[in-house]
Amino acid sequence: GMQQLETSCPPPAAGSGGVDALVAYGQVVEALQVVLLGDRLAAEYTALMLISHAGLNSAQQNKVEGQNLCNAISDDAAADIRITRLRAFLRDLLPRSTLVEVNIDSLNTDTLFVSKQAVGVGVAVGGERTDVSLLQLGAGTAVLLDESHMGEGVLQGNGLKNIRALKGILNEQQLLVECNYYDIHIPTDVSAIIFSKVSSILSTSTTIQLPLQALSTTATSTLSTQMHADTDYMDVLDEEDLALYEDIVGSEEAIVRAHITAMRQWWATSRSLPKPSMDAAVVQAAERDFLLAAAAVEEGQTTLPAVTSSVLHRWILTAQLVALAEGASSVSIAHWGRMQEMET
């Protein structure tokens, strides 16, 4: 089910301290690479997901596109280790983060949508009762969706509603409110990363599918043993920065300890920056790359799925996030090139 919302550090002050965005971004990626057991690409995408926010998206036909969604796929025993380590790191980095388990049992029993029901019958209605949602989260909350233990089963009525609620947040940044005779939607602003063993049931054509690097059985066993050597490590983490990593990565935790304040400021500043503009050269590059990719698919030169306007939207948003991460006010050819490198 839903874990308690984690607020182990105070909200960082945006724009304070004169942090060099490019340097701090590199430090965040380096720390995440350690946390995610050496996977550099996963670290880069995770850093970008953390600064993605609803203000980057444009309304189209009264519908707001959700932030880019990253689906980290790990089919080995390291999945639980990565999730635990990332959760611990986010508790130290961000003001708010939480973990949501997504499996048949949790979907059928938890409540991920808001429900407003009348109390009483006929004209003697005694008012309304509101059942809160586990996804009623503050702006900027990072949500880890753990789908790694999804198994076979049947989704009941509540489970289907929960899937609808999750997709509403992931695809449109809208929280479902189920009233007596109609539904309404509340705007949200959260970032999300899905961990699963296969492609997530919440994925769409624009989801970034990210297979994680597999670890050897020996390495996984060693890390798992070290992680569970101290059963109280999560309690210790609230009092000491990243105590969890002392038993796992040794001296490498110095990356985090030395730069945690700068990394917090980088996150707060990056989320508050305005949407980057796109240079004329980048617009031309986007058109060119889109047409070339579409032609390659049509001619059977690649096994990649069809390149649609939704994919182009993902490319543009990822390039904008790269620009934001580096503190830039516009997307340059270099930012666009880095996005394409990550895509391939």
PDB file of all heavy atoms in Angstrom, residues 89-125:
ATOM      1  N   PHE A  89      17.494   8.118  -0.638  1.00  0.00           N
ATOM      2  CA  PHE A  89      18.151   9.323  -1.170  1.00  0.00           C
ATOM      3  C   PHE A  89      17.147  10.467  -1.334  1.00  0.00           C
ATOM      4  O   PHE A  89      17.437  11.619  -0.990  1.00  0.00           O
ATOM      5  CB  PHE A  89      18.802   8.993  -2.516  1.00  0.00           C
ATOM      6  CG  PHE A  89      19.404  10.191  -3.205  1.00  0.00           C
ATOM      7  CD1 PHE A  89      20.508  10.843  -2.670  1.00  0.00           C
ATOM      8  CD2 PHE A  89      18.861  10.682  -4.380  1.00  0.00           C
ATOM      9  CE1 PHE A  89      21.059  11.948  -3.298  1.00  0.00           C
ATOM     10  CE2 PHE A  89      19.393  11.784  -5.017  1.00  0.00           C
ATOM     11  CZ  PHE A  89      20.504  12.417  -4.469  1.00  0.00           C
ATOM     12  N   LEU A  90      15.955  10.174  -1.848  1.00  0.00           N
ATOM     13  CA  LEU A  90      14.955  11.220  -2.055  1.00  0.00           C
ATOM     14  C   LEU A  90      14.470  11.798  -0.736  1.00  0.00           C
ATOM     15  O   LEU A  90      14.142  12.982  -0.648  1.00  0.00           O
ATOM     16  CB  LEU A  90      13.767  10.663  -2.847  1.00  0.00           C
ATOM     17  CG  LEU A  90      14.066  10.234  -4.281  1.00  0.00           C
ATOM     18  CD1 LEU A  90      12.783   9.800  -4.982  1.00  0.00           C
ATOM     19  CD2 LEU A  90      14.751  11.344  -5.060  1.00  0.00           C
ATOM     20  N   ARG A  91      14.435  10.980   0.307  1.00  0.00           N
ATOM     21  CA  ARG A  91      14.059  11.491   1.625  1.00  0.00           C
ATOM     22  C   ARG A  91      15.037  12.566   2.086  1.00  0.00           C
ATOM     23  O   ARG A  91      14.656  13.498   2.800  1.00  0.00           O
ATOM     24  CB  ARG A  91      14.039  10.350   2.648  1.00  0.00           C
ATOM     25  CG  ARG A  91      12.864   9.405   2.496  1.00  0.00           C
ATOM     26  CD  ARG A  91      13.017   8.177   3.363  1.00  0.00           C
ATOM     27  NE  ARG A  91      12.968   8.511   4.786  1.00  0.00           N
ATOM     28  CZ  ARG A  91      12.354   7.753   5.685  1.00  0.00           C
ATOM     29  NH1 ARG A  91      11.738   6.653   5.304  1.00  0.00           N
ATOM     30  NH2 ARG A  91      12.353   8.075   6.948  1.00  0.00           N
ATOM     31  N   ASP A  92      16.277  12.430   1.699  1.00  0.00           N
ATOM     32  CA  ASP A  92      17.280  13.392   2.126  1.00  0.00           C
ATOM     33  C   ASP A  92      17.356  14.591   1.193  1.00  0.00           C
ATOM     34  O   ASP A  92      17.674  15.697   1.622  1.00  0.00           O
ATOM     35  CB  ASP A  92      18.656  12.714   2.194  1.00  0.00           C
ATOM     36  CG  ASP A  92      19.572  13.402   3.196  1.00  0.00           C
ATOM     37  OD1 ASP A  92      19.220  13.408   4.383  1.00  0.00           O
ATOM     38  OD2 ASP A  92      20.611  13.939   2.780  1.00  0.00           O
ATOM     39  N   LEU A  93      17.055  14.389  -0.078  1.00  0.00           N
ATOM     40  CA  LEU A  93      17.197  15.446  -1.070  1.00  0.00           C
ATOM     41  C   LEU A  93      15.987  16.367  -1.130  1.00  0.00           C
ATOM     42  O   LEU A  93      16.132  17.590  -1.251  1.00  0.00           O
ATOM     43  CB  LEU A  93      17.438  14.832  -2.453  1.00  0.00           C
ATOM     44  CG  LEU A  93      17.517  15.806  -3.637  1.00  0.00           C
ATOM     45  CD1 LEU A  93      18.776  16.658  -3.537  1.00  0.00           C
ATOM     46  CD2 LEU A  93      17.483  15.044  -4.958  1.00  0.00           C
ATOM     47  N   LEU A  94      14.787  15.810  -1.039  1.00  0.00           N
ATOM     48  CA  LEU A  94      13.566  16.554  -1.350  1.00  0.00           C
ATOM     49  C   LEU A  94      12.736  16.854  -0.104  1.00  0.00           C
ATOM     50  O   LEU A  94      12.804  16.133   0.885  1.00  0.00           O
ATOM     51  CB  LEU A  94      12.703  15.758  -2.332  1.00  0.00           C
ATOM     52  CG  LEU A  94      13.363  15.307  -3.627  1.00  0.00           C
ATOM     53  CD1 LEU A  94      12.366  14.521  -4.460  1.00  0.00           C
ATOM     54  CD2 LEU A  94      13.899  16.499  -4.403  1.00  0.00           C
ATOM     55  N   PRO A  95      11.917  17.910  -0.173  1.00  0.00           N
ATOM     56  CA  PRO A  95      11.005  18.188   0.939  1.00  0.00           C
ATOM     57  C   PRO A  95       9.944  17.114   1.108  1.00  0.00           C
ATOM     58  O   PRO A  95       9.523  16.809   2.209  1.00  0.00           O
ATOM     59  CB  PRO A  95      10.347  19.523   0.556  1.00  0.00           C
ATOM     60  CG  PRO A  95      11.118  20.069  -0.574  1.00  0.00           C
ATOM     61  CD  PRO A  95      11.845  18.934  -1.220  1.00  0.00           C
ATOM     62  N   ARG A  96       9.495  16.545  -0.028  1.00  0.00           N
ATOM     63  CA  ARG A  96       8.407  15.571   0.027  1.00  0.00           C
ATOM     64  C   ARG A  96       8.652  14.456  -0.997  1.00  0.00           C
ATOM     65  O   ARG A  96       8.916  14.731  -2.168  1.00  0.00           O
ATOM     66  CB  ARG A  96       7.052  16.232  -0.280  1.00  0.00           C
ATOM     67  CG  ARG A  96       6.578  17.214   0.772  1.00  0.00           C
ATOM     68  CD  ARG A  96       5.335  17.947   0.324  1.00  0.00           C
ATOM     69  NE  ARG A  96       5.622  18.832  -0.808  1.00  0.00           N
ATOM     70  CZ  ARG A  96       6.047  20.076  -0.677  1.00  0.00           C
ATOM     71  NH1 ARG A  96       6.269  20.578   0.518  1.00  0.00           N
ATOM     72  NH2 ARG A  96       6.270  20.825  -1.748  1.00  0.00           N
ATOM     73  N   SER A  97       8.522  13.231  -0.538  1.00  0.00           N
ATOM     74  CA  SER A  97       8.570  12.082  -1.439  1.00  0.00           C
ATOM     75  C   SER A  97       7.769  10.962  -0.802  1.00  0.00           C
ATOM     76  O   SER A  97       7.557  10.954   0.412  1.00  0.00           O
ATOM     77  CB  SER A  97      10.020  11.628  -1.698  1.00  0.00           C
ATOM     78  OG  SER A  97      10.618  11.173  -0.492  1.00  0.00           O
ATOM     79  N   THR A  98       7.307  10.029  -1.613  1.00  0.00           N
ATOM     80  CA  THR A  98       6.515   8.933  -1.073  1.00  0.00           C
ATOM     81  C   THR A  98       6.605   7.723  -1.992  1.00  0.00           C
ATOM     82  O   THR A  98       6.992   7.832  -3.159  1.00  0.00           O
ATOM     83  CB  THR A  98       5.042   9.365  -0.888  1.00  0.00           C
ATOM     84  OG1 THR A  98       4.371   8.429  -0.054  1.00  0.00           O
ATOM     85  CG2 THR A  98       4.324   9.477  -2.224  1.00  0.00           C
ATOM     86  N   LEU A  99       6.264   6.589  -1.454  1.00  0.00           N
ATOM     87  CA  LEU A  99       6.289   5.325  -2.190  1.00  0.00           C
ATOM     88  C   LEU A  99       4.873   4.771  -2.273  1.00  0.00           C
ATOM     89  O   LEU A  99       4.155   4.718  -1.275  1.00  0.00           O
ATOM     90  CB  LEU A  99       7.196   4.312  -1.481  1.00  0.00           C
ATOM     91  CG  LEU A  99       7.219   2.887  -2.055  1.00  0.00           C
ATOM     92  CD1 LEU A  99       7.956   2.854  -3.372  1.00  0.00           C
ATOM     93  CD2 LEU A  99       7.876   1.928  -1.054  1.00  0.00           C
ATOM     94  N   VAL A 100       4.455   4.373  -3.465  1.00  0.00           N
ATOM     95  CA  VAL A 100       3.140   3.758  -3.670  1.00  0.00           C
ATOM     96  C   VAL A 100       3.352   2.376  -4.280  1.00  0.00           C
ATOM     97  O   VAL A 100       3.966   2.251  -5.338  1.00  0.00           O
ATOM     98  CB  VAL A 100       2.248   4.604  -4.610  1.00  0.00           C
ATOM     99  CG1 VAL A 100       0.898   3.917  -4.812  1.00  0.00           C
ATOM    100  CG2 VAL A 100       2.054   6.004  -4.051  1.00  0.00           C
ATOM    101  N   GLU A 101       2.872   1.357  -3.604  1.00  0.00           N
ATOM    102  CA  GLU A 101       2.948   0.004  -4.139  1.00  0.00           C
ATOM    103  C   GLU A 101       1.793  -0.207  -5.114  1.00  0.00           C
ATOM    104  O   GLU A 101       0.640   0.103  -4.810  1.00  0.00           O
ATOM    105  CB  GLU A 101       2.888  -1.026  -3.011  1.00  0.00           C
ATOM    106  CG  GLU A 101       4.090  -0.963  -2.076  1.00  0.00           C
ATOM    107  CD  GLU A 101       3.977  -1.952  -0.929  1.00  0.00           C
ATOM    108  OE1 GLU A 101       2.994  -2.739  -0.938  1.00  0.00           O
ATOM    109  OE2 GLU A 101       4.839  -1.940  -0.049  1.00  0.00           O
ATOM    110  N   VAL A 102       2.125  -0.709  -6.303  1.00  0.00           N
ATOM    111  CA  VAL A 102       1.119  -0.944  -7.336  1.00  0.00           C
ATOM    112  C   VAL A 102       1.121  -2.428  -7.672  1.00  0.00           C
ATOM    113  O   VAL A 102       1.972  -2.921  -8.414  1.00  0.00           O
ATOM    114  CB  VAL A 102       1.405  -0.102  -8.603  1.00  0.00           C
ATOM    115  CG1 VAL A 102       0.311  -0.332  -9.652  1.00  0.00           C
ATOM    116  CG2 VAL A 102       1.495   1.381  -8.252  1.00  0.00           C
ATOM    117  N   ASN A 103       0.197  -3.152  -7.089  1.00  0.00           N
ATOM    118  CA  ASN A 103       0.016  -4.567  -7.388  1.00  0.00           C
ATOM    119  C   ASN A 103      -1.469  -4.891  -7.252  1.00  0.00           C
ATOM    120  O   ASN A 103      -2.273  -4.023  -6.891  1.00  0.00           O
ATOM    121  CB  ASN A 103       0.888  -5.442  -6.478  1.00  0.00           C
ATOM    122  CG  ASN A 103       0.662  -5.138  -5.006  1.00  0.00           C
ATOM    123  OD1 ASN A 103      -0.461  -5.248  -4.511  1.00  0.00           O
ATOM    124  ND2 ASN A 103       1.725  -4.746  -4.297  1.00  0.00           N
ATOM    125  N   ILE A 104      -1.844  -6.108  -7.538  1.00  0.00           N
ATOM    126  CA  ILE A 104      -3.261  -6.458  -7.546  1.00  0.00           C
ATOM    127  C   ILE A 104      -3.902  -6.199  -6.180  1.00  0.00           C
ATOM    128  O   ILE A 104      -4.981  -5.597  -6.087  1.00  0.00           O
ATOM    129  CB  ILE A 104      -3.457  -7.930  -7.955  1.00  0.00           C
ATOM    130  CG1 ILE A 104      -2.967  -8.163  -9.398  1.00  0.00           C
ATOM    131  CG2 ILE A 104      -4.919  -8.335  -7.818  1.00  0.00           C
ATOM    132  CD1 ILE A 104      -3.749  -7.379 -10.439  1.00  0.00           C
ATOM    133  N   ASP A 105      -3.247  -6.639  -5.109  1.00  0.00           N
ATOM    134  CA  ASP A 105      -3.823  -6.478  -3.774  1.00  0.00           C
ATOM    135  C   ASP A 105      -3.970  -5.010  -3.397  1.00  0.00           C
ATOM    136  O   ASP A 105      -5.016  -4.587  -2.897  1.00  0.00           O
ATOM    137  CB  ASP A 105      -2.964  -7.202  -2.734  1.00  0.00           C
ATOM    138  CG  ASP A 105      -3.050  -8.716  -2.849  1.00  0.00           C
ATOM    139  OD1 ASP A 105      -4.048  -9.201  -3.444  1.00  0.00           O
ATOM    140  OD2 ASP A 105      -2.144  -9.406  -2.366  1.00  0.00           O
ATOM    141  N   SER A 106      -2.909  -4.223  -3.614  1.00  0.00           N
ATOM    142  CA  SER A 106      -2.968  -2.814  -3.214  1.00  0.00           C
ATOM    143  C   SER A 106      -3.985  -2.042  -4.048  1.00  0.00           C
ATOM    144  O   SER A 106      -4.695  -1.170  -3.526  1.00  0.00           O
ATOM    145  CB  SER A 106      -1.579  -2.164  -3.337  1.00  0.00           C
ATOM    146  OG  SER A 106      -1.156  -2.105  -4.685  1.00  0.00           O
ATOM    147  N   LEU A 107      -4.073  -2.358  -5.328  1.00  0.00           N
ATOM    148  CA  LEU A 107      -5.029  -1.653  -6.177  1.00  0.00           C
ATOM    149  C   LEU A 107      -6.468  -1.965  -5.763  1.00  0.00           C
ATOM    150  O   LEU A 107      -7.342  -1.093  -5.820  1.00  0.00           O
ATOM    151  CB  LEU A 107      -4.822  -2.043  -7.642  1.00  0.00           C
ATOM    152  CG  LEU A 107      -3.562  -1.471  -8.314  1.00  0.00           C
ATOM    153  CD1 LEU A 107      -3.355  -2.118  -9.678  1.00  0.00           C
ATOM    154  CD2 LEU A 107      -3.657   0.046  -8.448  1.00  0.00           C
ATOM    155  N   ASN A 108      -6.712  -3.188  -5.335  1.00  0.00           N
ATOM    156  CA  ASN A 108      -8.069  -3.565  -4.948  1.00  0.00           C
ATOM    157  C   ASN A 108      -8.452  -3.053  -3.564  1.00  0.00           C
ATOM    158  O   ASN A 108      -9.646  -2.969  -3.244  1.00  0.00           O
ATOM    159  CB  ASN A 108      -8.227  -5.085  -4.989  1.00  0.00           C
ATOM    160  CG  ASN A 108      -8.394  -5.617  -6.404  1.00  0.00           C
ATOM    161  OD1 ASN A 108      -8.856  -4.906  -7.302  1.00  0.00           O
ATOM    162  ND2 ASN A 108      -8.006  -6.862  -6.619  1.00  0.00           N
ATOM    163  N   THR A 109      -7.468  -2.700  -2.734  1.00  0.00           N
ATOM    164  CA  THR A 109      -7.783  -2.318  -1.355  1.00  0.00           C
ATOM    165  C   THR A 109      -7.498  -0.852  -1.045  1.00  0.00           C
ATOM    166  O   THR A 109      -8.218  -0.247  -0.249  1.00  0.00           O
ATOM    167  CB  THR A 109      -6.995  -3.184  -0.356  1.00  0.00           C
ATOM    168  OG1 THR A 109      -5.585  -3.079  -0.626  1.00  0.00           O
ATOM    169  CG2 THR A 109      -7.403  -4.645  -0.480  1.00  0.00           C
ATOM    170  N   ASP A 110      -6.476  -0.252  -1.620  1.00  0.00           N
ATOM    171  CA  ASP A 110      -6.154   1.153  -1.346  1.00  0.00           C
ATOM    172  C   ASP A 110      -7.130   2.083  -2.052  1.00  0.00           C
ATOM    173  O   ASP A 110      -7.888   1.667  -2.934  1.00  0.00           O
ATOM    174  CB  ASP A 110      -4.724   1.478  -1.783  1.00  0.00           C
ATOM    175  CG  ASP A 110      -3.683   0.811  -0.897  1.00  0.00           C
ATOM    176  OD1 ASP A 110      -4.063   0.361   0.203  1.00  0.00           O
ATOM    177  OD2 ASP A 110      -2.516   0.729  -1.308  1.00  0.00           O
ATOM    178  N   THR A 111      -7.079   3.364  -1.690  1.00  0.00           N
ATOM    179  CA  THR A 111      -7.908   4.373  -2.345  1.00  0.00           C
ATOM    180  C   THR A 111      -7.012   5.458  -2.909  1.00  0.00           C
ATOM    181  O   THR A 111      -6.419   6.234  -2.166  1.00  0.00           O
ATOM    182  CB  THR A 111      -8.915   5.002  -1.357  1.00  0.00           C
ATOM    183  OG1 THR A 111      -9.704   3.975  -0.774  1.00  0.00           O
ATOM    184  CG2 THR A 111      -9.830   5.985  -2.076  1.00  0.00           C
ATOM    185  N   LEU A 112      -6.907   5.489  -4.234  1.00  0.00           N
ATOM    186  CA  LEU A 112      -6.048   6.462  -4.900  1.00  0.00           C
ATOM    187  C   LEU A 112      -6.847   7.592  -5.533  1.00  0.00           C
ATOM    188  O   LEU A 112      -6.281   8.457  -6.183  1.00  0.00           O
ATOM    189  CB  LEU A 112      -5.206   5.752  -5.971  1.00  0.00           C
ATOM    190  CG  LEU A 112      -4.338   4.592  -5.466  1.00  0.00           C
ATOM    191  CD1 LEU A 112      -3.522   4.006  -6.607  1.00  0.00           C
ATOM    192  CD2 LEU A 112      -3.416   5.049  -4.340  1.00  0.00           C
ATOM    193  N   PHE A 113      -8.143   7.584  -5.334  1.00  0.00           N
ATOM    194  CA  PHE A 113      -8.993   8.658  -5.845  1.00  0.00           C
ATOM    195  C   PHE A 113      -9.778   9.239  -4.679  1.00  0.00           C
ATOM    196  O   PHE A 113      -9.962   8.595  -3.641  1.00  0.00           O
ATOM    197  CB  PHE A 113      -9.958   8.124  -6.919  1.00  0.00           C
ATOM    198  CG  PHE A 113     -10.800   6.965  -6.453  1.00  0.00           C
ATOM    199  CD1 PHE A 113     -12.071   7.177  -5.920  1.00  0.00           C
ATOM    200  CD2 PHE A 113     -10.324   5.666  -6.534  1.00  0.00           C
ATOM    201  CE1 PHE A 113     -12.837   6.124  -5.469  1.00  0.00           C
ATOM    202  CE2 PHE A 113     -11.089   4.599  -6.083  1.00  0.00           C
ATOM    203  CZ  PHE A 113     -12.349   4.822  -5.550  1.00  0.00           C
ATOM    204  N   VAL A 114     -10.240  10.478  -4.827  1.00  0.00           N
ATOM    205  CA  VAL A 114     -11.059  11.110  -3.800  1.00  0.00           C
ATOM    206  C   VAL A 114     -12.506  10.720  -4.031  1.00  0.00           C
ATOM    207  O   VAL A 114     -12.986  10.742  -5.169  1.00  0.00           O
ATOM    208  CB  VAL A 114     -10.921  12.642  -3.843  1.00  0.00           C
ATOM    209  CG1 VAL A 114     -11.782  13.294  -2.763  1.00  0.00           C
ATOM    210  CG2 VAL A 114      -9.461  13.048  -3.673  1.00  0.00           C
ATOM    211  N   SER A 115     -13.212  10.363  -2.965  1.00  0.00           N
ATOM    212  CA  SER A 115     -14.608   9.961  -3.084  1.00  0.00           C
ATOM    213  C   SER A 115     -15.469  10.818  -2.169  1.00  0.00           C
ATOM    214  O   SER A 115     -15.220  10.901  -0.960  1.00  0.00           O
ATOM    215  CB  SER A 115     -14.767   8.475  -2.712  1.00  0.00           C
ATOM    216  OG  SER A 115     -16.122   8.079  -2.756  1.00  0.00           O
ATOM    217  N   LYS A 116     -16.463  11.487  -2.766  1.00  0.00           N
ATOM    218  CA  LYS A 116     -17.410  12.294  -1.990  1.00  0.00           C
ATOM    219  C   LYS A 116     -18.778  11.629  -2.083  1.00  0.00           C
ATOM    220  O   LYS A 116     -19.342  11.482  -3.169  1.00  0.00           O
ATOM    221  CB  LYS A 116     -17.480  13.722  -2.530  1.00  0.00           C
ATOM    222  CG  LYS A 116     -16.166  14.496  -2.417  1.00  0.00           C
ATOM    223  CD  LYS A 116     -16.338  15.952  -2.805  1.00  0.00           C
ATOM    224  CE  LYS A 116     -17.169  16.704  -1.778  1.00  0.00           C
ATOM    225  NZ  LYS A 116     -17.233  18.153  -2.063  1.00  0.00           N
ATOM    226  N   GLN A 117     -19.304  11.219  -0.946  1.00  0.00           N
ATOM    227  CA  GLN A 117     -20.571  10.505  -0.919  1.00  0.00           C
ATOM    228  C   GLN A 117     -21.547  11.206   0.011  1.00  0.00           C
ATOM    229  O   GLN A 117     -21.171  11.703   1.072  1.00  0.00           O
ATOM    230  CB  GLN A 117     -20.353   9.057  -0.444  1.00  0.00           C
ATOM    231  CG  GLN A 117     -19.392   8.253  -1.297  1.00  0.00           C
ATOM    232  CD  GLN A 117     -19.898   8.018  -2.704  1.00  0.00           C
ATOM    233  OE1 GLN A 117     -21.108   8.003  -2.936  1.00  0.00           O
ATOM    234  NE2 GLN A 117     -18.986   7.841  -3.649  1.00  0.00           N
ATOM    235  N   ALA A 118     -22.826  11.240  -0.399  1.00  0.00           N
ATOM    236  CA  ALA A 118     -23.858  11.820   0.455  1.00  0.00           C
ATOM    237  C   ALA A 118     -24.098  10.924   1.664  1.00  0.00           C
ATOM    238  O   ALA A 118     -24.022   9.700   1.577  1.00  0.00           O
ATOM    239  CB  ALA A 118     -25.154  11.998  -0.333  1.00  0.00           C
ATOM    240  N   VAL A 119     -24.367  11.563   2.795  1.00  0.00           N
ATOM    241  CA  VAL A 119     -24.677  10.834   4.014  1.00  0.00           C
ATOM    242  C   VAL A 119     -26.164  11.000   4.294  1.00  0.00           C
ATOM    243  O   VAL A 119     -26.660  12.117   4.433  1.00  0.00           O
ATOM    244  CB  VAL A 119     -23.859  11.364   5.210  1.00  0.00           C
ATOM    245  CG1 VAL A 119     -24.232  10.599   6.472  1.00  0.00           C
ATOM    246  CG2 VAL A 119     -22.375  11.240   4.921  1.00  0.00           C
ATOM    247  N   GLY A 120     -26.923   9.919   4.345  1.00  0.00           N
ATOM    248  CA  GLY A 120     -28.360  10.008   4.529  1.00  0.00           C
ATOM    249  C   GLY A 120     -29.074   9.694   3.227  1.00  0.00           C
ATOM    250  O   GLY A 120     -28.454   9.423   2.202  1.00  0.00           O
ATOM    251  N   VAL A 121     -30.390   9.728   3.241  1.00  0.00           N
ATOM    252  CA  VAL A 121     -31.167   9.410   2.048  1.00  0.00           C
ATOM    253  C   VAL A 121     -32.271  10.433   1.855  1.00  0.00           C
ATOM    254  O   VAL A 121     -32.648  11.160   2.773  1.00  0.00           O
ATOM    255  CB  VAL A 121     -31.793   7.996   2.166  1.00  0.00           C
ATOM    256  CG1 VAL A 121     -30.721   6.933   2.192  1.00  0.00           C
ATOM    257  CG2 VAL A 121     -32.664   7.900   3.419  1.00  0.00           C
ATOM    258  N   GLY A 122     -32.801  10.491   0.629  1.00  0.00           N
ATOM    259  CA  GLY A 122     -33.923  11.370   0.323  1.00  0.00           C
ATOM    260  C   GLY A 122     -33.630  12.817   0.638  1.00  0.00           C
ATOM    261  O   GLY A 122     -32.529  13.316   0.422  1.00  0.00           O
ATOM    262  N   VAL A 123     -34.625  13.520   1.165  1.00  0.00           N
ATOM    263  CA  VAL A 123     -34.457  14.945   1.469  1.00  0.00           C
ATOM    264  C   VAL A 123     -33.730  15.157   2.780  1.00  0.00           C
ATOM    265  O   VAL A 123     -33.353  16.269   3.127  1.00  0.00           O
ATOM    266  CB  VAL A 123     -35.833  15.651   1.524  1.00  0.00           C
ATOM    267  CG1 VAL A 123     -36.490  15.643   0.168  1.00  0.00           C
ATOM    268  CG2 VAL A 123     -36.743  15.014   2.574  1.00  0.00           C
ATOM    269  N   ALA A 124     -33.551  14.064   3.521  1.00  0.00           N
ATOM    270  CA  ALA A 124     -32.905  14.191   4.834  1.00  0.00           C
ATOM    271  C   ALA A 124     -31.421  13.865   4.742  1.00  0.00           C
ATOM    272  O   ALA A 124     -30.865  13.165   5.578  1.00  0.00           O
ATOM    273  CB  ALA A 124     -33.587  13.265   5.829  1.00  0.00           C
ATOM    274  N   VAL A 125     -30.815  14.396   3.717  1.00  0.00           N
ATOM    275  CA  VAL A 125     -29.381  14.160   3.549  1.00  0.00           C
ATOM    276  C   VAL A 125     -28.610  14.897   4.632  1.00  0.00           C
ATOM    277  O   VAL A 125     -28.804  16.094   4.845  1.00  0.00           O
ATOM    278  CB  VAL A 125     -28.917  14.623   2.148  1.00  0.00           C
ATOM    279  CG1 VAL A 125     -27.404  14.473   2.036  1.00  0.00           C
ATOM    280  CG2 VAL A 125     -29.606  13.795   1.076  1.00  0.00           C
TER     281      VAL A 125
END
